[in-house]
Amino acid sequence: MRASTSKDGLTLRAIAGTYNILLGIDLEEAKRAGCLGFTISRTDLGAPGAPPPANAPAARVLPNSLRFPGDTTPGLATTETAPLQKFRWGDYTVKPGQRYRFTVTARYGKPGQLTDGATADVEVTTEDPASQKTPIFFNRGAAASQAYNAKFGQLDPDKLDPAQRAEALKWLSRGLEEAILAFLDQAKDGSFALHAAIYEFQKPELLAGLKRAMDRGVDVKIAYHFRHKGDADTTWKKNEAAAQANGLDKVAVQRQANPQAAIMHNKFVVLLKKDSNGAFVPQAVWTGSTNWTEGGIYGQLNVGHAVYDPAVAATYEQYFELLRADSEAAPLKAALGKLTPVPKECPPGPGVWPIFSPQPNTGMLDLYASICKSAKCLLVCAPFELAQQISATFSGVPEGTLHYLLADKESSFGNKNEIEIVEGVKQNEIAFAATLSSPLTDFQEKLLEKDTPEHFHHAGIHIHSKIIVADPFGDDPILVTGSANFSNNSTVNNDSNSLLIRGDKAITDIYATEFMRMFEHYHFRAARAKAEAGAKAAGKTTDEMLKLATDDSWSDPYYAPGSDKVLDRKLFAGT
C-alpha cells in the first residue's frame, strides 16, 4: 500500500510492504536553507477497521544511530534531538496487516536548540501475507544480526535453552517455514493432491508436513534433485536419506536425467483438488527461492511466494509431470519452449507469466536485460554471477535512471575491472553481503556448511533470493522472482522456474521494501567499515567520524544538478 501527502513545501510518501515501510521525503529547495534534517514519529493505529489498541503507546519518535558532534547524552538518540539527514527512511519493525501514522517535521536552528518547520503526516496499512492476494514471505536473513543480538543476546541459537532456541528459529524464519507448512495443510484429505519438485529436500519439519498430508489420504508426489557432476555432489544422498527417514521414498522420484550438466533447482509445490468428475485440478502453487533446509530457512535471505491462480498452477503442474517423468534435456527444452514461450519484451500488464528452464536458448536473459534497460528505477538481487546481458545494464546507465544491486559477493560480476566500472557509474548503488562477526553469523555459516559439507553449492551464500524489480514505485511495476538464477547455466541447463509479474503494486511493494531492508543494512555496514578505516588512519574513533552535519551542507548533494541523490530524493518521495 502507498500513501502520500504534501504540506507547506514538505512531501511525504509511505510505501508499505508486510514487515517494512519506506518513507520518501522531499522539501522544496526554497525551504532547504538552515534545515538540519527531519524528526520522524510513528503512531500504531491497530488493525484496519478496528479502534486503536487501548494499550498502544502515543506517537513514538524514531531513533537515529548518528548524533551531532559533542552530543554525549546517554542512551539511544532519537530524531527529536538527532534529526535524520537523509530523504529516505526505512522502518523495519512494523507488523503485517496493521495501520500506522507517520509524522515528519523539518528541523531548523542549531544542535541542542532545534525548532520546527513544515510538518506532514500520512497513514498507511501494511500488506497481509495471510491474504491470497499477497501471500509472500521473506525470512530475516543474515542482515538481522544486530536485531537478533538485541532480542536474544550474544548467543548462538544452539547455545540457548530449548524454548529460547525454538523462539529464535521462529524469529529468523519470520513466517517462511510456517507458510510452507500452512500451504501443505490446505490439502485436507483424499480430494486433494500435492505435487512437489524440490532441489534440497531435507528439512525434517517440512518433510513431515508432506507425510502428514499422505496420512490424511492426500495424493503426494515428489521429484527431487539426484546428482550433479558425479560424486562431488552430496545433495542427492541427503535428499534420498531424508525421504526414507520421513516415509516419503515410496512417492518420491529422483530427477537424474543429464546428471553431468544440470541440477533440478526448483522449489515449488502444486496444490490440486478433485473436480466433480474426480480429476485433480490445479488450484495454487508455492514457489520462490527457498530450499527445504535449515540454511534455506534460517540462514540465507530467501522468499516464498504462493500464487492462487489456477491457470498459473496448471502450467506448473505440466512442468512437474515432465520433471517426474525424468525427461531428457533436449525433449524437455522443446516442451518448455512451447509450454512457457519467452517473449522478446515484457507483455503488457497486468498479468502473471511463468517461465521454466531449461530453455532452448538464452531468450530469458535477453528478456530480463530488456526489462532492466527500460527501467527508470531498477532493483536487482542476485546470489551468483549475473549473465553478461544483465550485468551490462549496470555499465551504460542512462542519465535520469537509478540502478540498485544487492549481490552476495563481488563475483556477481565477471572480474574486478567490471566491478570497478559499475561502481564508478554515479547512477549505480551497489551493496555486497558483508557479514558481521557475531554468534548469529557463525550459526548461519554452520548451517550452510551442514547443508553442503563439501562447500559444493551454497556454503557462504547469504543472499539467495533472485529478484528483478523494474520501476517499483510507479504505476506499472515489473517483477521477476523465483528459483532461477540470472545466469546462462540456470537458463539453458538447470531445471528452474521464474514468475514474471506486471502491474501488481501490492506485490511489488512487498518485494521492494524487503530489498531496501537488506540493501540499507549492507550499505550501512560498508559505510561503517570505510569510516572505521578512515578513523584509524586519522587517529580517531569511528563514532567521531560518523557525525551529523551542524549546518544544511548535508543536503547539498540532494539538490546538486546531475546528482544521483536528486533522483533518489524524488524517486522515493514520488515527486
Side-chain angles (χ1 to χ4, degrees), residues 555-574:
S555 63
D556 289 347
Y558 291 94
Y559 293 85
S563 169
D564 59 312
K565 289 188 179 296
V566 175
L567 294 174
D568 188 286
R569 169 173 61 88
K570 294 182 176 182
L571 168 70
F572 285 89

Side-chain angles (χ1 to χ4, degrees), residues 84-163:
L84 175 73
Q85 292 187 344
K86 291 172 59 178
F87 287 88
R88 172 157 45 90
W89 175 272
D91 188 341
Y92 307 123
T93 64
V94 298
K95 298 179 180 179
Q98 299 291 305
R99 294 182 301 137
Y100 297 91
R101 179 188 300 119
F102 290 89
T103 302
V104 172
T105 302
R107 305 301 297 281
Y108 297 82
K110 58 183 181 180
Q113 298 179 21
L114 297 174
T115 59
D116 291 349
T119 295
D121 57 33
V122 67
E123 292 187 12
V124 69
T125 300
T126 50
E127 301 295 343
D128 185 359
S131 165
Q132 290 191 358
K133 294 181 179 179
T134 50
I136 301 158
F137 298 83
F138 281 81
N139 62 356
R140 291 190 187 269
S145 295
Q146 290 177 317
Y148 174 89
N149 292 344
K151 189 171 182 67
F152 299 101
Q154 293 276 354
L155 287 173
D156 180 324
D158 285 339
K159 293 182 171 60
L160 299 171
D161 67 49

Side-chain angles (χ1 to χ4, degrees), residues 430-470:
I430 299 176
F432 297 106
T435 56
L436 296 175
S437 177
S438 73
L440 176 61
T441 301
D442 294 343
F443 169 74
Q444 292 171 326
E445 293 284 6
K446 184 170 59 180
L447 290 184
L448 297 175
E449 290 177 11
K450 176 184 174 184
D451 290 345
T452 51
E454 283 81 21
H455 302 270
F456 171 66
H457 196 59
H458 286 145
I461 298 296
H462 289 281
I463 298 293
H464 193 245
S465 295
K466 309 94 168 45
I467 300 166
I468 294 173
V469 192

